[in-house]
Amino acid sequence: MLDWNQCSAVERVSGKVSGAWLFRGTRVPVSALFENLEDGATVGQFLEWFPGVTRQQVESVLEFANQSLAVAEQS
């Protein structure tokens, strides 16, 4: 499981979207990014569909997930 506390592009606010991890300053769950990518969407499409999210946030989240997986594979 990823420790999203280490990623500055996201936040969790009690009582906001049921406490899900969100792109900072939005109501868009981080899980929406991964669900859309898994369904074949591009990052560009995701950004069109969720205009409050920035490309920098998406890139930060993807890089964080990638680094976390690399560390997990080394363990």
Side-chain angles (χ1 to χ4, degrees):
M1 168 104 32
L2 299 177
D3 181 5
W4 288 109
N5 287 306
Q6 305 294 322
C7 182
S8 64
V10 302
E11 65 184 350
R12 179 182 266 171
V13 179
S14 179
K16 188 174 181 182
V17 192
S18 301
W21 283 103
L22 309 172
F23 285 95
R24 188 171 297 283
T26 76
R27 296 182 63 82
V28 180
V30 172
S31 61
L33 171 64
F34 293 102
E35 290 166 3
N36 279 276
L37 293 176
E38 286 174 1
D39 288 342
T42 65
V43 169
Q45 289 171 318
F46 179 81
L47 292 170
E48 286 177 33
W49 300 334
F50 300 95
V53 179
T54 68
R55 181 170 293 277
Q56 182 178 0
Q57 286 175 310
V58 169
E59 290 173 358
S60 293
V61 163
L62 292 175
E63 180 61 26
F64 176 77
N66 186 48
Q67 289 176 356
S68 295
L69 292 172
V71 168
E73 288 176 356
Q74 293 175 1
S75 298

